[in-house]
Structures are given as C-alpha cells and as structure tokens.
Amino acid sequence: QRTMEIFRDLGIEEAIKAKATPADGMWSNAWITTMAGTEIYRSEAWGAGEEHAARYAQASPCGMCNIPQNIMEPVLIEAIEAAGVADLRFSHRLESFVQDEEGVTATVVEVQTGVSYRVRADYLMGADGARSKVAEALALPFEGQMGVGGDAGIGEVVYVWFKGDLAKYCAHRPGAMFWSADMYNGATFVNVAPWDEWIAGWSMPPGTTFDADQETILNRVRSVIGDNTVDISIKGVSRWTMNKMWATRYGEGRVWCMGD
C-alpha cells in the first residue's frame, strides 16, 4: 500500500494498476503439497477477502496489487521518459569511482561495445544489491554471515521462471503465492501473471547444490505441479543463498547505498 501511495504521488498509480493483478485476484495464501495435490490450509491475505479488505481500506486510499518487476519497470521507464527527468542507460557496468568535496566521478562501461567513459555527478547512489560494488569500494562495514540458511536449515535456493497454464488449480483460490509444505521436494509458487506465468522455488538441503540440465529442471517443475500434462516452458533459472548480513552504516561523503 505504501508503494502504491508513492506511485499516486508520482502520478502513475493508474498506469501501474492497469498492468497489475488487483487485490481480489490475490486474496488467498494456500499451503499445498503440490499445485494439483492436497491443499493443507488456506487463509486470506494481501489486503483482500472479507476479513482484510475493510481494514486495508481504512489504512490507505490506495489498494494492494501484485506487479512483478519485469512488468512494472517498463511502466516506470515510460513515465520517466515522459517527464524528462532522467537519462536512462541500460547494459552499463560501474568500473570505479572517486569522490571529492564537490562531487563524484564514476567510470562506467557500456557492456555491448566495451566503451568506457566517465560520468561526473553531485552524488552517487549504489542500488546494486547484496553484492554491491559500491558498498565494497566504500569498504562499508558489514556484520553477520553470508550463505547461511537460518533456523530452517536451508541451503541453496533455486528459482525457476516458467510459462504454464495452472488456472484450473488456482483460479478458484487466487493468490500471489502458494506455499509448499515439503521444503526440499516440493516448491513454493509465486505468480507472475494470472495464471500462466510463475516462479517455482525450492530449497536444497544444506551442503548441496542443484546442477541440472533443462530436461531435469522441466521434470522437477512438472513434479511439483503434480500434473505432467501441463505444457511447460522455462524462461529462466536463478540460484541464490540466504544471508544474515547488514551494513552498520550506509554511505560516506557523497556516495551512499540504498535498497536491498
């Protein structure tokens, strides 16, 4: 809701809502064995359903919705370009930066051409994630431990982004997420677009990794769906580990980090 309030302030709330799944399309959280298998428990969630809707409506004039990053970013890009407030450059890599009392000079590389050039700015904001090059270059102090599974004993996490029509298993219980009751052999499903685009995610036992070819991944996704007749196409596979890390400060001088 807070994000939608910010989008309203920016004048793009309606453009976001036009591309998003509204709250009534994501009203449930379901705990499952497989998508086609036994449902163990279901609860209202995400600001929808009889129990939640009134309370969320009292909290804000803006409602909840579900819009994945790959669908949301083009809306933001169009709005930024229409407003003329930024020069957006994609497929660039930060090489290095130096700062002084007046500003920051960054060296960047255009990945496709290998062309390197410098950008002079008042400030540099690093929004480059958990392995931030900006944070590393600043030598920001971090505490905690990388690659830990927390109390659940989770090792590597595998996310498979796929196309596959699962409407008959979820249209009657629409939700943004369907949680697996089997941590290692099942999968949690994250809806990208109703009801034929998904992420299936599962955890590996600590000390193990998932090295698999396309056919093995397809078979695993079919297994966690619980229906081998669903036509599946893989769009992408990513792997990550849980971290217990935090920065004790976020910047220095004219260079600051933000985000995840």
Side-chain angles (χ1 to χ4, degrees):
Q1 280 186 297
R2 176 58 184 148
T3 305
M4 294 304 292
E5 290 172 354
I6 294 170
F7 287 154
R8 175 176 286 203
D9 288 343
L10 294 173
I12 60 172
E13 180 189 17
E14 294 306 315
I16 292 288
K17 287 165 64 176
K19 300 283 188 179
T21 302
D24 60 7
M26 48 186 274
W27 64 266
S28 71
N29 259 343
W31 281 261
I32 58 174
T33 50
T34 63
M35 189 64 87
T38 302
E39 178 183 288
I40 299 167
Y41 179 75
R42 191 190 321 172
S43 65
E44 293 182 354
W46 312 113
E50 294 180 4
E51 183 178 327
H52 286 76
R55 183 158 53 90
Y56 275 69
Q58 290 175 346
S60 172
C62 301
M64 294 277 283
C65 66
N66 181 37
I67 181 166
Q69 185 174 348
N70 64 305
I71 299 174
M72 180 185 72
E73 280 195 355
V75 179
L76 296 178
I77 292 165
E78 184 176 340
I80 289 167
E81 290 177 341
V85 294
D87 176 4
L88 297 174
R89 302 185 187 185
F90 294 92
S91 299
H92 281 64
R93 180 179 68 247
L94 174 69
E95 287 290 286
S96 62
F97 63 85
V98 292
Q99 64 171 313
D100 51 50
E101 293 183 0
E102 307 268 318
V104 184
T105 301
T107 301
V108 299
V109 175
E110 187 177 29
V111 174
Q112 293 179 339
T113 64
V115 173
S116 173
Y117 60 93
R118 292 180 178 177
V119 177
R120 180 68 177 174
D122 292 335
Y123 294 92
L124 186 152
M125 303 299 294
D128 48 346
R131 295 180 177 87
S132 170
K133 188 163 188 172
V134 177
E136 181 183 359
L138 277 181
L140 292 183
F142 282 79
E143 295 182 0
Q145 185 179 353
M146 297 284 281
V148 297
D151 297 334
I154 296 170
E156 184 179 62
V157 180
V158 180
Y159 271 5
V160 179
W161 180 20
F162 71 94
K163 290 280 288 185
D165 187 0
L166 304 183
K168 64 181 177 180
Y169 299 121
C170 55
H172 65 288
R173 52 176 183 182
M177 301 186 74
F178 294 79
W179 302 86
S180 175
D182 189 334
M183 182 183 297
Y184 298 136
N185 299 309
T188 295
F189 292 86
V190 183
N191 184 240
V192 177
W195 297 109
D196 64 352
E197 191 168 345
W198 300 85
I199 289 171
W202 59 84
S203 305
M204 303 298 295
T208 64
T209 58
F210 186 75
D211 294 311
D213 56 26
Q214 190 83 350
E215 189 60 31
T216 302
I217 293 171
L218 278 169
N219 288 337
R220 174 65 191 256
V221 172
R222 291 190 182 105
S223 173
V224 298
I225 291 172
D227 179 357
N228 290 331
T229 67
V230 177
D231 185 25
I232 299 297
S233 62
I234 304 297
K235 300 192 69 173
V237 179
S238 62
R239 295 152 58 165
W240 52 279
T241 56
M242 290 188 177
N243 302 324
K244 285 185 176 180
M245 295 289 292
W246 59 94
T248 57
R249 57 185 175 86
Y250 285 82
E252 182 178 299
R254 291 177 171 268
V255 181
W256 291 80
C257 289
M258 60 181 293
D260 190 0

